[in-house]
Amino acid sequence: KAAAEKAGFKAEFKNTAWDGIFAGLAAGKYDAISSSVSITDERKATMDFSDPIMSIEQMLVVAKNEKATDLAGLKGKSIGAQIGTTSYLVIKDVKGFKAIKTYDEVGLAMEDLVKGSIQAVVADSPVAVEYTTKNHADKIKIAATLKSDTVENIGIAVKKGNKEVLDLVNKGLAAIKADGTFDKIKAAHKMQ
């Protein structure tokens, strides 16, 4: 909202299921995706990205009483992640889990963790911090930041070739970074 305001346009938001979000962008159902989208080479082939908004990491979230401090400590246990995300890619080929459960929305994975249906969730750092400090601070905790090569830049995705929207988004992002608005937003939401 802040970037849109600074760039002189009004952002209208639509909640969309993650599993179809990129197809919706390609089909023109919306102009951009702003949902902690990691900028990857694979994604760059089919969409364009704004300047990076911030860097994030993948974090391992577990129940308060869980002793595991890494993925290896969860051998024989069930772990979850949102399907089609870089969080899922971190765990999809790891051997030794009882099960890897995928979710349409990361909040559903966190709810299963709280209920004890799974023993861990891998999520982007802003999401992990949000759930462990606000939503379920008394029940779950961050056990680890996963290996340093999981640092990713996130950005706003636009349809390949949509320079008009991309330029507006970048203009707004540059403005909120320059005037301190972005730092205030990060601090208010305890983002890294």
Side-chain angles (χ1 to χ4, degrees), residues 44-97:
K44 282 192 219 177
T46 58
M47 61 193 83
D48 291 330
F49 282 92
S50 69
D51 296 330
I53 297 171
M54 61 190 279
S55 294
I56 62 166
E57 296 174 284
Q58 296 300 316
M59 293 187 154
L60 181 64
V61 180
V62 298
K64 282 278 191 189
N65 61 353
E66 176 61 57
K67 303 281 190 269
T69 58
D70 58 18
L71 293 175
L74 293 163
K75 194 172 210 161
K77 296 182 179 182
S78 297
I79 189 167
Q82 185 174 350
I83 194 165
T85 63
T86 52
S87 300
Y88 171 70
L89 295 177
V90 167
I91 61 172
K92 76 177 184 75
D93 295 324
V94 177
K95 304 293 182 219
F97 298 127

Side-chain angles (χ1 to χ4, degrees), residues 118-151:
I118 59 175
Q119 287 70 55
V121 173
V122 174
D124 292 346
S125 47
V127 173
V129 169
E130 177 80 14
Y131 276 92
T132 58
T133 60
K134 294 180 183 170
N135 300 31
H136 299 292
D138 59 329
K139 296 185 174 100
I140 59 176
K141 66 182 180 182
I142 295 170
T145 298
L146 299 177
K147 34 183 193 162
S148 61
D149 64 346
T150 64
V151 174

Side-chain angles (χ1 to χ4, degrees), residues 10-26:
K10 185 177 185 322
E12 177 187 326
F13 295 92
K14 295 180 179 180
N15 286 324
T16 304
W18 181 262
D19 65 348
I21 203 166
F22 299 125
L25 180 67

